[in-house]
Amino acid sequence: MEWTSLVTQLFGPYHGMRAREDFLQGDVMFEGAPLTVIGTTNHAPIGVKLALAQARVVLDTIANHPGRPILLLIDTQGQQLRRRDELLGINRAMAHLGAAIDLARRQGHRVIGLVYDQALSGGFITSGLIADACYALPEAEIRVMRIPAMARVTKLAEEKLAALSLSNPVFAPGVQNYVAMGGVRALWQGDLPEALRAALRDTPTTDQRAQDGAARGGRQMSAAVVQRVLDAA
């Protein structure tokens, strides 16, 4: 879905959102209350410039609008693979974005992620997967690593990984698999304003991804292992 269509459905035709190249930003009114919205479009690769731009808005919201909810609109092909960004420290810029989002959560801001188009790799990990909860449209595309890349990293044959992906969502891309694993809390279908309203109202402030993954059969051991680590601390 185009971002313009999405925000019009969510906030009406006079939403106030604007795009500066691939960066989306706006202070919108929803249900009579202000909401900070940031995100990316055009399958943008997240480089130093985009990561710092998003982090700046999050930090400004923390400083100037205590407790205001933040909505992250996600459409990215992952991190920017350029020598310039590597030399400028893309790893630190993306870590800074993730830390800013985490700080917002700790300071009482409800942070909601929405994958409305494409979410890949590090660009997704440092945004939607750090929010209080991440949601997605049914037609969205989500993956962190393709099977050929996974084969190179794990040293397992592509054929074996492809076979595993048929029964285990951990090895497979796709929005439904991320719902099964708990990475995506739910899909937004039909009435999008009602979906956002419910997310702002009902999303837990504690991380429920491991528990959701266990309940849905997508990550059967994660929650148990996390609890064992906490009990041993």
Side-chain angles (χ1 to χ4, degrees):
M1 178 183 292
E2 292 289 333
W3 74 267
T4 50
S5 175
L6 173 65
V7 298
T8 299
Q9 290 186 50
L10 284 171
F11 309 118
Y14 305 108
H15 44 73
M17 288 289 298
R18 59 190 182 277
R20 297 201 303 270
E21 297 179 339
D22 295 331
F23 177 48
L24 304 176
Q25 180 187 355
D27 296 311
V28 306
M29 296 297 294
F30 182 73
E31 301 288 295
L35 176 69
T36 294
V37 184
I38 61 172
T40 53
T41 188
N42 300 320
H43 302 345
I46 308 299
V48 170
K49 181 179 179 180
L50 268 176
L52 295 181
Q54 292 182 88
R56 177 74 271 162
V57 177
V58 173
L59 294 175
D60 285 347
T61 300
I62 295 171
N64 300 320
H65 308 287
R68 177 188 286 187
I70 300 171
L71 175 63
L72 311 173
L73 300 181
I74 302 161
D75 175 25
T76 175
Q77 60 182 273
Q79 65 268 35
Q80 176 68 269
L81 302 177
R82 291 197 310 191
R83 178 180 172 83
R84 176 181 181 276
D85 287 87
E86 294 290 344
L87 291 173
L88 289 173
I90 184 174
N91 57 321
R92 298 181 66 180
M94 296 184 75
H96 176 60
L97 171 58
I101 293 172
D102 181 63
L103 177 63
R105 294 176 61 194
R106 294 173 186 271
Q107 293 295 319
H109 296 261
R110 180 59 55 89
V111 183
I112 303 296
L114 175 62
V115 181
Y116 71 96
D117 196 322
Q118 179 175 274
L120 275 63
S121 193
F124 180 39
I125 293 171
T126 55
S127 57
L129 290 183
I130 297 182
D132 286 307
C134 187
Y135 298 84
L137 300 185
E139 62 270 24
E141 178 187 1
I142 303 178
R143 66 176 184 271
V144 172
M145 187 177 290
R146 294 179 183 271
I147 286 179
M150 195 182 300
R152 290 194 296 271
V153 171
T154 63
K155 310 304 181 184
L156 297 173
E158 288 188 33
E159 295 78 10
K160 183 174 184 177
L161 292 173
L164 286 170
S165 72
L166 298 177
S167 59
N168 191 326
V170 172
F171 294 94
V175 66
Q176 291 291 352
N177 287 312
Y178 277 80
V179 172
M181 289 188 289
V184 170
R185 187 164 180 82
L187 301 182
W188 285 9
Q189 304 181 70
D191 188 337
L192 296 185
E194 173 55 31
L196 175 57
R197 189 178 305 115
L200 292 171
R201 181 186 66 236
D202 301 332
T203 294
T205 55
T206 57
D207 195 326
Q208 297 294 307
R209 291 174 176 86
Q211 289 83 352
D212 287 344
R216 299 166 185 175
R219 296 175 68 201
Q220 299 182 26
M221 298 299 297
S222 178
V225 171
V226 168
Q227 191 57 52
R228 289 176 62 184
V229 171
L230 293 175
D231 292 342

